[in-house]
Amino acid sequence: MKPTTLLTLWIVAFSIKAIGASWDASFHFKYLRETTQYSHIVNTIGLVLACLLWLYMARRADYKLTKPLRVSGLGFIVFFIGIPLDEAWHRIFGIDLTTWSLTHAILYIGTALMIAGTILLTEAYFAEGIISRRMRRVSLMFLLVFVLEAFWFPMLQQEQGVISLYLFNHGTPMASQEILVQLNNPKSQIYGGIPDWLYGVYASFTCMVVFRIIRYFKIAMFSCTLIAFIYVAFRALANAIYHSIPYPESTVPYFLLLAAIVADLIYVLLNNKKMPRLTWGLITVSIVCCVYSVCLLNPTFPIHPPMPVLSLFAALFSTLIGYGVASLLLYLQQTSFISSPLQALNEKLN
């Protein structure tokens, strides 16, 4: 199999998983959970394709013992541990609308590790001259969108929930009767018991982690804007489809695009002047300001989940933590393990 074909199929696998995950989040706000529901099947198709690609790589001598294979393999192990745990969680606790559960976090981490392994594979291919610069940029562009999606996914709880609660309070709920009869504390149950302040704090954290990682790979001058635009467009398209079915819709984080544009502008204007601390300090403040700027808007129909303004101070702290987390992840990416297919092959021959 050609390297370009292999990378393309990895992107297809993650795309199928992302579509299934988005559908699954909407499904849970309308129907009770079923193990064999269609959204789970779509997600499983993406997972099976990814498994087959990993097994293909594992059987080839030039991929064995490489860091891409190890990292993505660890992702599969974590994900497969999470599946029975999540099934048991649902059977024990019954109705569960929250995306913030521990078992869901295990699934997110597993998926993120799979994507990380594929990013390392892309970089290894490019370092050895196996793929072109253009192929590297296109592959990393899609893979970084999936990284953003994996980090952002828990917030669908609030983004789906705020519209579902609004419709419930106005007597036009989209949830099935099976769910409605179990709601005795609608706001708490629809939001999964998650406090309002967490949305803005975690959104700021996610922006910093993902933007820091995106800027590291230098795929375009306005790379954060590009990645954010693709993700926001995906969410808007999904909403249009759900509206036509009809299925529960979510608010779309348009502020993410604003945060990305401002972060890119600051980085482009200041980074060449060798002032990284000032650059990322200003990006930290700009992210929080952009995330909380939507609080200035108060339309009749909700366009964002609740965000107490005072929580922006906690958001500043979480953004700084996000910078540290991203730096740690990038440090691990640069460790001295075998990192390219060619190196692995040479070691086996020697």
Side-chain angles (χ1 to χ4, degrees):
M1 187 186 300
K2 294 181 179 179
T4 52
T5 303
L6 183 62
L7 287 177
T8 301
L9 288 175
W10 273 109
I11 291 170
V12 170
F14 291 131
S15 297
I16 295 172
K17 276 182 59 60
I19 292 170
S22 173
W23 185 3
D24 190 49
S26 179
F27 182 95
H28 285 307
F29 279 87
K30 186 168 186 177
Y31 301 110
L32 285 177
R33 180 184 183 277
E34 297 176 10
T35 303
T36 57
Q37 66 198 46
Y38 289 133
S39 58
H40 285 175
I41 293 173
V42 171
N43 205 317
T44 301
I45 292 172
L47 179 63
V48 169
L49 176 56
C51 286
L52 293 175
L53 293 172
W54 189 88
L55 290 172
Y56 168 82
M57 292 171 59
R59 290 175 59 86
R60 291 177 58 87
D62 49 344
Y63 291 106
K64 288 181 179 179
L65 302 179
T66 61
K67 187 160 63 170
L69 195 69
R70 289 175 175 177
V71 173
S72 54
L74 177 61
F76 282 110
I77 292 173
V78 172
F79 195 91
F80 285 129
I81 290 174
I83 291 175
L85 291 178
D86 187 54
E87 184 67 25
W89 179 282
H90 285 288
R91 291 182 182 276
I92 293 171
F93 295 104
I95 183 173
D96 176 23
L97 289 175
T98 183
T99 57
W100 293 90
S101 68
L102 177 61
T103 54
H104 286 156
I106 294 173
L107 298 176
Y108 306 149
I109 293 170
T111 300
L113 286 170
M114 296 178 210
I115 300 168
T118 312
I119 290 175
L120 293 173
L121 177 65
T122 303
E123 290 294 84
Y125 274 155
F126 180 70
E128 302 297 343
I130 298 173
I131 61 172
S132 66
R133 184 178 300 273
R134 180 180 180 183
M135 184 65 190
R136 172 188 178 269
R137 286 179 175 176
V138 172
S139 298
L140 287 179
M141 178 186 70
F142 282 106
L143 291 170
L144 290 170
V145 171
F146 299 137
V147 170
L148 175 57
E149 190 272 339
F151 270 93
W152 203 272
F153 189 83
M155 288 183 284
L156 279 172
Q157 179 71 49
Q158 282 83 0
E159 292 169 349
Q160 294 270 4
V162 67
I163 293 181
S164 294
L165 182 61
Y166 174 87
L167 295 176
F168 178 85
N169 289 336
H170 286 75
T172 57
M174 294 200 70
S176 65
Q177 194 61 33
E178 293 175 307
I179 289 181
L180 293 177
V181 297
Q182 299 189 45
L183 295 179
N184 50 49
N185 186 354
K187 181 178 180 180
S188 177
Q189 288 174 282
I190 290 175
Y191 283 139
I194 302 302
D196 290 346
W197 60 262
L198 183 60
Y199 181 80
V201 171
Y202 182 76
S204 301
F205 168 84
T206 296
C207 285
M208 176 54 83
V209 173
V210 177
F211 291 173
R212 175 86 172 85
I213 293 172
I214 291 172
R215 293 301 332 184
Y216 171 82
F217 288 104
K218 301 177 182 177
I219 60 175
M221 180 178 291
F222 286 85
S223 51
C224 294
T225 303
L226 176 63
I227 303 303
F229 175 80
I230 295 173
Y231 177 71
V232 170
F234 166 71
R235 292 285 304 276
L237 177 61
N239 257 8
I241 295 172
Y242 297 148
H243 181 77
S244 65
I245 294 178
Y247 248 57
E249 301 172 45
S250 67
T251 59
V252 177
Y254 294 109
F255 61 82
L256 173 61
L257 186 55
L258 175 63
I261 293 171
V262 175
D264 276 335
L265 283 172
I266 294 173
Y267 190 88
V268 170
L269 292 174
L270 294 182
N271 193 59
N272 291 334
K273 298 178 181 179
K274 307 300 181 183
M275 296 185 291
R277 292 183 179 179
L278 176 61
T279 299
W280 287 104
L282 289 175
I283 289 175
T284 296
V285 175
S286 72
I287 285 174
V288 175
C289 290
C290 290
V291 169
Y292 282 82
S293 65
V294 294
C295 295
L296 299 174
L297 306 175
N298 191 25
T300 304
F301 191 84
I303 61 171
H304 63 84
M307 284 189 288
V309 176
L310 289 179
S311 65
L312 65 85
F313 296 105
L316 280 169
F317 182 68
S318 72
T319 308
L320 293 173
I321 294 176
Y323 182 86
V325 170
S327 298
L328 175 61
L329 293 174
L330 293 174
Y331 170 78
L332 293 175
Q333 188 268 341
Q334 298 171 19
T335 51
S336 59
F337 294 110
I338 295 173
S339 59
S340 76
L342 189 58
Q343 282 179 287
L345 182 58
N346 289 337
E347 291 222 354
K348 288 182 71 68
L349 293 176
N350 294 334

